[in-house]
Amino acid sequence: MLSENVSSKAMLIHHHSQTGVVSVTSHSVIPLEDGKAGFTLGAGRAFSPYDKTELAALLLNEDSGAEFLPESYLFSSRTVLTWYRRPDLHDIPFRDERIRAPLPGLIFIAAANQSFRCFAFKGNQRPTPDTELFYAPLGNVYQGGTFCTGSGNVPRDVRRENIPAWENFVLESENTHSGTIEPVAGCRSFEGLKEFYRALNEKGSKRFPASKLVSAGSYRGPLSLAQAIKGGE
């Protein structure tokens, strides 16, 4: 309720009919002068990114205050969530067998209204915006870093609590085919992919050979983490 004892703000939404641009301004609600009854709007102020974040948090009934984030988080917004796993040994599931072998570091990108993506990176250091991305050396991988979902359950909501389910989809889904790209350099068939991991297992390899990673870039050049995230914003 408007009252001289209540501090009120008004928000105006402006839409340009020709360009389609939408802008928002914030105005103080102030009493009329000279003892007149009623209120009017003060001068407007353009909404800042901070204002938008605070408003969204208010509407979603969320606390938008500062918080500590896990070290594995690389990027977080309301529409994109990106995190990574360091290189490690894993029991890679194939039909009728699991092959224990090393996998490179993996970067996961969940974005609203887009297919879930996963890429590999070289080394063991925490990825930066300039980190070059490679295809995850697994089966079922499509160009662009997406996966054949089959009957898998892939969360659609960009929420942190879905991270275990996304990782489970990538690492625990059965590898059944090579997708649309060559996931490991020199492995031109799905059987070749299995033989590659069998060989790593038999040798007791602890690290994935970086030379076998396939670039996720194009003829224009390598794909960086920042570029991949920007494509999902």
Side-chain angles (χ1 to χ4, degrees), residues 60-145:
L60 293 172
N61 194 29
E62 294 179 350
D63 181 2
S64 61
E67 61 178 316
F68 289 103
L69 296 177
E71 190 270 345
S72 60
Y73 283 33
L74 298 173
F75 184 90
S76 179
S77 72
R78 294 197 178 277
T79 58
V80 181
L81 181 60
T82 305
W83 70 100
Y84 79 105
R85 285 174 60 105
R86 294 187 184 276
D88 199 5
L89 290 173
H90 190 74
D91 294 321
I92 304 171
F94 291 93
R95 187 167 295 168
D96 301 325
E97 67 177 318
R98 278 181 172 265
I99 304 175
R100 187 164 184 77
L103 286 177
L106 298 175
I107 295 175
F108 306 86
I109 303 177
N113 302 317
Q114 292 194 22
S115 297
F116 178 71
R117 293 173 291 162
C118 175
F119 298 95
F121 66 95
K122 292 182 178 180
N124 192 42
Q125 299 299 313
R126 189 176 191 273
T128 70
D130 295 326
T131 295
E132 182 178 355
L133 302 186
F134 300 83
Y135 283 112
L138 298 167
N140 313 340
V141 179
Y142 289 162
Q143 189 169 6

Side-chain angles (χ1 to χ4, degrees), residues 16-233:
H16 195 289
S17 60
Q18 294 182 343
T19 65
V21 173
V22 176
S23 59
V24 181
T25 55
S26 174
H27 303 256
S28 295
V29 179
I30 55 179
L32 294 175
E33 297 179 349
D34 301 326
K36 296 179 181 179
F39 297 83
T40 188
L41 298 182
R45 179 177 63 82
F47 249 44
S48 68
Y50 174 79
D51 293 327
K52 295 175 183 178
T53 299
E54 289 295 300
L55 176 61
L58 177 65
L59 295 176
L60 293 172
N61 194 29
E62 294 179 350
D63 181 2
S64 61
E67 61 178 316
F68 289 103
L69 296 177
E71 190 270 345
S72 60
Y73 283 33
L74 298 173
F75 184 90
S76 179
S77 72
R78 294 197 178 277
T79 58
V80 181
L81 181 60
T82 305
W83 70 100
Y84 79 105
R85 285 174 60 105
R86 294 187 184 276
D88 199 5
L89 290 173
H90 190 74
D91 294 321
I92 304 171
F94 291 93
R95 187 167 295 168
D96 301 325
E97 67 177 318
R98 278 181 172 265
I99 304 175
R100 187 164 184 77
L103 286 177
L106 298 175
I107 295 175
F108 306 86
I109 303 177
N113 302 317
Q114 292 194 22
S115 297
F116 178 71
R117 293 173 291 162
C118 175
F119 298 95
F121 66 95
K122 292 182 178 180
N124 192 42
Q125 299 299 313
R126 189 176 191 273
T128 70
D130 295 326
T131 295
E132 182 178 355
L133 302 186
F134 300 83
Y135 283 112
L138 298 167
N140 313 340
V141 179
Y142 289 162
Q143 189 169 6
T146 61
F147 287 75
C148 171
T149 58
S151 59
N153 182 22
V154 186
R156 293 185 177 275
D157 294 334
V158 181
R159 295 181 178 274
R160 295 172 188 171
E161 54 265 34
N162 286 332
I163 285 179
W166 279 315
E167 291 192 5
N168 186 73
F169 165 70
V170 172
L171 297 171
E172 296 302 324
S173 294
E174 187 176 271
N175 292 265
T176 58
H177 59 87
S178 295
T180 60
I181 54 98
E182 183 179 291
V184 173
C187 296
R188 302 186 181 281
S189 67
F190 182 64
E191 188 59 35
L193 178 66
K194 289 194 290 185
E195 289 300 328
F196 168 77
Y197 279 114
R198 287 180 184 135
L200 290 182
N201 174 271
E202 291 171 1
K203 291 188 295 184
S205 299
K206 302 298 182 183
R207 294 183 179 180
F208 186 93
S211 61
K212 290 294 185 178
L213 290 174
V214 177
S215 173
S218 65
Y219 69 91
R220 292 188 294 269
L223 176 68
S224 70
L225 175 57
Q227 290 171 326
I229 291 176
K230 185 176 181 180
E233 287 191 282

